[in-house]
């Protein structure tokens, strides 16, 4: 009689600190000293962005950085800290994606982009968050049909007057007026 093989591969375990990753990454990944966990999720402004909506499990912020009008970051505000959507119970994971979709629908309605990008990475700050970014036609898009270069989202700052006017309109669309 032959032995039955396990259909699932054995999980691969790596070094305590993956080569090339910042020394704080593993510590932050576990929630110890996570810079996003210290956000004041009751505040209308966290410095990097202005609150658009206090969703079911995540807050939507219109981000100040970058050269793309309408660039937003959705940050999971749960306790305990999670770095991956797969760490959430099913109901909370569904709520996170509902919050993401509500933000995407409001951005689509207001900005009328050619395409929306949704990026859930956490490679720099390992706290569950998603970058939700409208993509536009024409010369304002540096990479039509491809991913936006990180410097295009992180460099420079949005015009504050325009940002606050957009935030007001987006809050109405999201029902936070």
């Amino acid at each position: 009689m032959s032995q039955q093989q396990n259909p699932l591969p054995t999980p691969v375990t790596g070094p305590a600190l993956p080569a090339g990753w910042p020394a704080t990454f593993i510590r932050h990944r576990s929630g110890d000293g996570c810079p996003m966990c210290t956000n004041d999720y009751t505040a209308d402004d966290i410095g990097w962005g202005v609150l658009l909506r206090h969703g079911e499990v995540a807050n939507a912020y219109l981000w100040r950085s970058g050269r793309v009008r309408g660039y937003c970051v959705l940050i999971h505000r749960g306790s305990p800290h999670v770095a991956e959507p797969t760490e959430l119970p099913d109901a909370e994971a569904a709520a996170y994606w509902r919050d993401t979709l509500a933000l995407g629908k409001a951005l689509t309605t207001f900005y009328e982009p050619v395409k929306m990008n949704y990026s859930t990475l956490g490679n720099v700050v390992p706290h569950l968050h998603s970058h939700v970014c409208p993509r536009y036609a024409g010369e304002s898009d540096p990479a039509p049909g491809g991913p936006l270069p990180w410097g295009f989202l992180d460099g420079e700052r949005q015009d504050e007057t325009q940002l606050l006017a957009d935030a007001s309109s987006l809050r109405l669309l999201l029902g936070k007026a």
Side-chain angles (χ1 to χ4, degrees), residues 28-29 34 36-37 41 57-59 73-78 80-88 92-93 96-97 100 119-122 125-131:
H28 290 172
R29 169 78 175 75
C34 171
M36 280 194 185
C37 284
Y41 291 113
V57 298
N59 284 5
V73 177
L74 184 85
I75 304 174
H76 184 267
R77 57 172 195 277
H81 165 91
V82 294
E84 306 292 341
T86 54
E87 296 172 9
L88 297 172
E92 196 169 335
Y96 183 81
W97 297 116
T100 304
S119 300
T120 304
L121 303 171
V125 179
H127 179 107
L128 179 58
H129 67 286
S130 298
H131 302 261

Side-chain angles (χ1 to χ4, degrees), residues 105-126:
K105 287 176 184 177
L107 294 173
T108 298
T109 298
F110 186 68
Y111 294 109
E112 299 179 349
V114 170
K115 172 77 175 87
M116 289 295 303
N117 284 177
Y118 302 86
S119 300
T120 304
L121 303 171
N123 297 318
V124 175
V125 179

Side-chain angles (χ1 to χ4, degrees), residues 47-161:
W48 286 101
V50 294
L51 181 68
L52 297 178
R53 179 175 186 247
H54 188 80
E56 290 180 68
V57 298
N59 284 5
Y61 297 94
L62 187 57
W63 224 235
R64 284 192 166 91
S65 68
R67 292 180 268 165
V68 179
R69 186 173 170 207
Y71 170 41
C72 291
V73 177
L74 184 85
I75 304 174
H76 184 267
R77 57 172 195 277
S79 179
H81 165 91
V82 294
E84 306 292 341
T86 54
E87 296 172 9
L88 297 172
D90 288 349
E92 196 169 335
Y96 183 81
W97 297 116
R98 282 192 300 272
D99 287 343
T100 304
L101 294 174
L103 177 59
K105 287 176 184 177
L107 294 173
T108 298
T109 298
F110 186 68
Y111 294 109
E112 299 179 349
V114 170
K115 172 77 175 87
M116 289 295 303
N117 284 177
Y118 302 86
S119 300
T120 304
L121 303 171
N123 297 318
V124 175
V125 179
H127 179 107
L128 179 58
H129 67 286
S130 298
H131 302 261
V132 183
C133 187
R135 299 294 297 272
Y136 302 103
E139 294 178 15
S140 67
D141 194 310
L148 282 170
W150 180 248
F152 208 72
L153 294 175
D154 194 42
E156 301 184 26
R157 292 290 176 257
Q158 300 287 319
D159 176 81
E160 188 73 12
T161 302

